[in-house]
Amino acid sequence: MTAAIRNILTPVAIVRLVLGWGAFAALLFAGPLLAPPVPGPLLVTALVIIVGVILICAFGVVNEAEHLARRLGDPYGSLVLTLSIVLIEVVLIAAVLLGPGEHAAIARDSVMAVSMIILNAVIGLCLLVAGLRHGGLAHNRTGVSTYLSLIIVLAALAFALPALIGSNGSYEEWQEIPIIVITIGIYAFFLFRQMGAQAADFHEVDPRLAHPAEVAGRTASRTPEGGSIVTAVEDEPAKQHIGEIISVHRTEIIVRLALLVATVTPIVLLSHDMASLLDDGLGRLGAPVALSGVVIALIVFLPETITSVRAAWQGEIQRVSNLCHGAQVSTVGLTIPTVLLIGLLTDQPIVLAESPANLLLFAVTLLLSVTSFAAKRVTAVHGAAHLVVFAIFGITLFS
């Protein structure tokens, strides 16, 4: 057992933890020095150091996530990474709401930025990479359809309905309780089915690709487009049940999960600590304030982005969906009820209704997602279309 823990808590992993938490502690002590307006050289230096530390920690998170994914298999492996990042993000949004000042629209702005990044930038890049390297790839259409069904419903509850039945972009108090119950209920039911009876709906189905958990016995082959893809050989062992895997590898799973959470936490904390620095810097450049939220969201979900692109590079397109669509469902399914509950307890309004421009872009994103993944195979062209929508979202930030 001790040897197994030593294999996980390597010197590199420990250095990542020290760098991440050390940088966060340094920011706490240097708070007065970094209060806006910050001198230009100090501002640039601080941002470079923070981004560098975040990148180092991000690769550590990706490493642990991939070990867990191989050990647990999908959807469990992807779910671990997704929930760790989303839960921390939800806690930080809640902390802002409970702190001083007016932050009525922070949940709306954060979730919208995350949604456009996940559903367009990350998925678009992954489909483009996978399509160029492997050609068209088959995905599990039942699993993706399940994700998209929840995304459509939860997005309507979060961004559109408050403008129609609420007041000033917020739900009425008597409307918030049923919305909270409905959102938590459908999300909990989804997790129950995903980890139980419908787990097979989130496995890889491309005939050229083995299940991600079945690492042993893979061989490499070439696609007609010239790329390589991993396939399973005939004598692969049967896939173990998740309960058996946890029972046999309990120590490894617990230690890796704890290390993942301990490494991802400073990423999110540093990202929010650098918000004021970004606002200061972008303000001097004349850039819109909303751009800061997008940059922070990109950094917060950097580990998941790296993991998704690496999965796409290997041709694991269903894992890309499990990571990206799963993150979107979890972000909305956890954030909206949390902020509404805080609003009820603290008697503060929670503005959720989006602007007409963002609603239009989100509607186009959902329609494009359904269209792309309704095909038997996703291609590089699908990815390019998603990237175009994200580029348009960037244009709206400056309009």
Side-chain angles (χ1 to χ4, degrees), residues 203-290:
H203 292 171
E204 300 287 349
V205 295
D206 194 290
R208 300 170 293 176
L209 191 70
H211 190 280
E214 299 166 349
V215 178
R218 287 184 176 185
T219 59
S221 61
R222 307 295 293 181
T223 67
E225 291 76 11
S228 62
I229 194 164
V230 179
T231 57
V233 297
E234 295 179 358
D235 58 346
E236 281 187 346
K239 183 178 181 291
Q240 287 182 291
H241 186 271
I242 185 63
E244 298 174 1
I245 295 174
I246 294 175
S247 176
V248 174
H249 304 284
R250 182 184 295 107
T251 301
E252 177 192 352
I253 292 171
I254 291 175
V255 174
R256 287 199 183 279
L257 180 59
L259 181 58
L260 185 150
V261 173
T263 310
V264 80
T265 302
I267 293 178
V268 183
L269 294 174
L270 288 171
S271 299
H272 283 262
D273 281 343
M274 69 184 285
S276 59
L277 296 176
L278 273 176
D279 287 340
D280 189 10
L282 292 174
R284 297 181 192 182
L285 296 174
V289 177

Side-chain angles (χ1 to χ4, degrees), residues 264-325:
V264 80
T265 302
I267 293 178
V268 183
L269 294 174
L270 288 171
S271 299
H272 283 262
D273 281 343
M274 69 184 285
S276 59
L277 296 176
L278 273 176
D279 287 340
D280 189 10
L282 292 174
R284 297 181 192 182
L285 296 174
V289 177
L291 186 60
S292 173
V294 174
V295 173
I296 292 171
L298 279 169
I299 293 174
V300 168
F301 282 86
L302 181 63
E304 194 142 11
T305 300
I306 297 173
T307 307
S308 300
V309 172
R310 290 176 70 166
W313 183 258
Q314 296 167 4
E316 297 174 343
I317 210 64
Q318 184 57 43
R319 187 163 185 237
V320 170
S321 174
N322 292 342
L323 286 164
C324 296
H325 292 136

